[in-house]
């Protein structure tokens, strides 16, 4: 395998204009200064996440152009810093939605580094040295070892890629909210997140893991006003993965929960949630919450479970140069269920 002094190229497919997010150009960039806990990775695959689309279209606010998106990254280690303990050159690894954090706050110290308020996102974040982080539609990435994950031998790199954001986003709330034997889980929206939520709920031996009648694309059009009735008092936990807010029938969703059941929001639509009636929250004593990615400990656990139970990523692999086509497909809701780009630069 490559040695420590491998000459990496630092370039990727960058968006230069949020009005034309599907017109990307190969663009060189400068990574942050290499520090002693950093790892350089030659990228082989990168999944295309809904977050990428929200960001490069400007839906989430300011974009630091030109920007290389992508945060479902797998590849091989080509360089390790002098204080890296977990990895060596040649290891198969992945990087998800973060590449750094403050390492010292209560959240970082307590194993919840994904909630660090100073977390460095894999792209469109600014490092303390002023460098803008650039993502995985690229030749290489540099990340702190806390945010690098070994990929089990039983998982191929293309299968593992989308697990590092979509997979963990579905897995973490299942773990946090007690999914397992005796519990029933409902999943709203069967796309990138939802297809993992169902599989992980089953792998965790939940009694019941159902996709609710509202699909990722068809729920807006549902004319069935009584859909919630057939699920009344059914679920301990509902994971809501749909990527638009305004039509989510939250008050109906609460009806499908058991007493003290929980509804956890996983997607981050550009728009605000619809109004919630306090009556519908109190009627069954339900809780509404959210969840963001997952910690390193959870990611390692998820990858091990996926390897053991045969959890499968439903992916369509495209050469990275076709990233524009993948972005169009995501926007049109065509993908089943994830595009994974194979690096070609
Ligand atoms: Zn922190
Ligand atoms: Zn993501």
């Amino acid at each position: 395998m490559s040695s420590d002094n491998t000459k990496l190229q630092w370039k990727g497919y960058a968006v230069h204009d949020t009005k034309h997010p599907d017109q990307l150009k190969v663009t060189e960039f400068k990574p942050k200064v290499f520090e002693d806990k950093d790892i350089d990775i030659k990228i082989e695959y990168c999944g295309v996440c809904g977050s990428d689309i929200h960001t490069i279209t400007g839906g989430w606010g300011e974009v630091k152009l030109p920007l290389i998106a992508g945060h479902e990254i797998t590849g091989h280690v080509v360089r390790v810093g002098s204080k890296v303990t977990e990895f060596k050159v040649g290891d198969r690894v992945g990087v998800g939605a973060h590449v750094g954090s403050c390492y010292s706050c209560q959240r970082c110290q307590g194993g919840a580094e994904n909630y660090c308020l100073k977390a460095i996102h894999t792209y469109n974040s600014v490092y303390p040295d002023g460098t803008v982080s650039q993502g995985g539609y690229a030749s290489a990435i540099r990340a702190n070892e806390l945010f690098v994950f070994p990929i089990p031998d039983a998982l191929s790199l293309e299968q593992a890629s989308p697990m590092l954001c979509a997979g963990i986003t579905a897995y973490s709330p299942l773990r946090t909210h007690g999914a397992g034997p005796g519990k029933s889980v409902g999943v709203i929206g069967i796309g990138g997140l939802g297809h993992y939520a169902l599989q992980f709920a089953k792998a965790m031996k939940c009694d019941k893991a159902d996709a609710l009648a509202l699909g990722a694309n068809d729920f807006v059009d549902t004319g069935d006003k009584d859909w919630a009735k057939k699920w009344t008092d059914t679920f301990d936990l509902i994971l809501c993965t749909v990527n638009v807010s305004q039509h989510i029938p939250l008050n109906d969703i609460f009806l499908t929960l058991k007493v003290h059941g929980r509804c956890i929001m996983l997607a981050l639509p550009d728009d605000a949630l619809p109004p919630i009636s306090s009556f519908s929250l109190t009627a069954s004593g339900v809780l509404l919450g959210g969840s963001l990615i997952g910690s390193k400990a959870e990611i390692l656990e998820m990858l091990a479970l996926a390897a053991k139970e045969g959890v499968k990523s439903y992916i369509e692999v495209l050469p990275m140069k076709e990233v524009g086509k993948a972005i169009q497909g995501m926007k049109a809701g065509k993908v089943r269920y994830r595009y994974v780009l194979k690096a070609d630069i």
Side-chain angles (χ1 to χ4, degrees), residues 26-140:
V26 174
T27 306
E28 291 191 4
F29 66 96
K30 213 169 139 298
K32 73 179 274 286
V33 170
F34 192 80
E35 292 172 90
D36 50 18
K37 297 282 259 178
D38 283 342
I39 292 177
D40 282 352
I41 298 161
K42 172 85 187 82
I43 294 173
E44 303 204 7
Y45 294 95
C46 184
V48 179
C49 176
S51 305
D52 304 352
I53 311 300
H54 288 293
T55 303
I56 62 182
T57 55
W60 283 352
E62 195 208 341
V63 191
K64 294 168 178 59
L65 298 169
L67 185 75
I68 300 164
H71 62 199
E72 297 181 334
I73 299 161
T74 53
H76 288 91
V77 175
V78 293
R79 183 184 180 192
V80 296
S82 59
K83 290 197 178 144
V84 166
T85 56
E86 289 180 65
F87 301 96
K88 60 183 189 317
V89 169
D91 285 355
R92 301 163 78 241
V93 294
V95 171
H98 296 120
V99 283
S101 67
C102 84
Y103 312 106
S104 59
C105 71
Q106 164 169 300
R107 297 174 180 204
C108 286
Q109 292 288 315
E113 69 281 353
N114 51 308
Y115 290 108
C116 175
L117 297 170
K118 292 181 181 166
I120 309 286
H121 296 268
T122 300
Y123 55 81
N124 203 37
S125 255
V126 182
Y127 276 102
D129 74 357
T131 309
V132 174
S133 59
Q134 301 289 352
Y137 306 166
S139 54

Side-chain angles (χ1 to χ4, degrees), residues 33-328:
V33 170
F34 192 80
E35 292 172 90
D36 50 18
K37 297 282 259 178
D38 283 342
I39 292 177
D40 282 352
I41 298 161
K42 172 85 187 82
I43 294 173
E44 303 204 7
Y45 294 95
C46 184
V48 179
C49 176
S51 305
D52 304 352
I53 311 300
H54 288 293
T55 303
I56 62 182
T57 55
W60 283 352
E62 195 208 341
V63 191
K64 294 168 178 59
L65 298 169
L67 185 75
I68 300 164
H71 62 199
E72 297 181 334
I73 299 161
T74 53
H76 288 91
V77 175
V78 293
R79 183 184 180 192
V80 296
S82 59
K83 290 197 178 144
V84 166
T85 56
E86 289 180 65
F87 301 96
K88 60 183 189 317
V89 169
D91 285 355
R92 301 163 78 241
V93 294
V95 171
H98 296 120
V99 283
S101 67
C102 84
Y103 312 106
S104 59
C105 71
Q106 164 169 300
R107 297 174 180 204
C108 286
Q109 292 288 315
E113 69 281 353
N114 51 308
Y115 290 108
C116 175
L117 297 170
K118 292 181 181 166
I120 309 286
H121 296 268
T122 300
Y123 55 81
N124 203 37
S125 255
V126 182
Y127 276 102
D129 74 357
T131 309
V132 174
S133 59
Q134 301 289 352
Y137 306 166
S139 54
I141 187 145
R142 178 167 290 169
N144 181 286
E145 75 169 333
L146 180 61
F147 296 93
V148 178
F149 317 111
I151 306 298
D153 291 342
L155 295 177
S156 68
L157 292 183
E158 64 265 43
Q159 278 282 307
S161 271
M163 291 182 188
L164 300 174
C165 178
I168 188 59
T169 299
Y171 178 81
S172 175
L174 289 167
R175 197 71 171 74
T176 303
H177 299 290
K183 296 293 167 91
S184 62
V185 175
V187 178
I188 300 179
I190 302 307
L193 297 172
H195 90 287
Y196 286 122
L198 283 178
Q199 290 187 74
F200 281 123
K202 284 175 188 155
M204 292 162 92
K205 315 294 181 206
C206 292
D207 286 7
K208 186 169 168 62
D210 280 312
L212 270 70
L214 310 179
N217 297 309
D218 61 6
F219 80 100
V220 172
D221 304 322
T222 187
D224 182 4
K225 289 240 181 321
D226 292 330
W227 72 271
K229 275 193 187 150
K230 71 179 169 208
W231 300 99
T232 298
D233 200 14
T234 302
F235 299 107
D236 297 285
L237 175 63
I238 287 180
L239 300 182
C240 185
T241 73
V242 294
N243 216 352
V244 284
S245 286
Q246 52 186 333
H247 300 293
I248 298 177
L250 276 175
N251 296 311
D252 285 345
I253 289 169
F254 298 152
L255 278 178
T256 71
L257 288 168
K258 294 181 185 172
V259 170
H260 297 160
R262 302 176 189 194
C263 174
I264 306 297
M265 311 306 288
L266 301 186
L268 291 166
D270 296 347
D271 55 342
L273 286 173
I276 298 162
S277 148
S278 295
F279 286 95
S280 65
L281 281 172
T282 54
S284 308
V286 300
L287 292 92
L288 175 64
S291 183
L292 184 70
I293 326 284
S295 66
K296 181 167 196 167
E298 287 172 329
I299 289 172
L300 299 185
E301 205 179 80
M302 169 199 69
L303 291 170
L305 183 68
K308 178 166 170 266
E309 299 289 336
V311 170
K312 196 167 153 22
S313 303
Y314 288 78
I315 57 176
E316 189 177 326
V317 178
L318 294 173
M320 205 170 265
K321 64 173 186 285
E322 289 183 25
V323 56
K325 188 177 146 190
I327 288 164
Q328 288 164 0

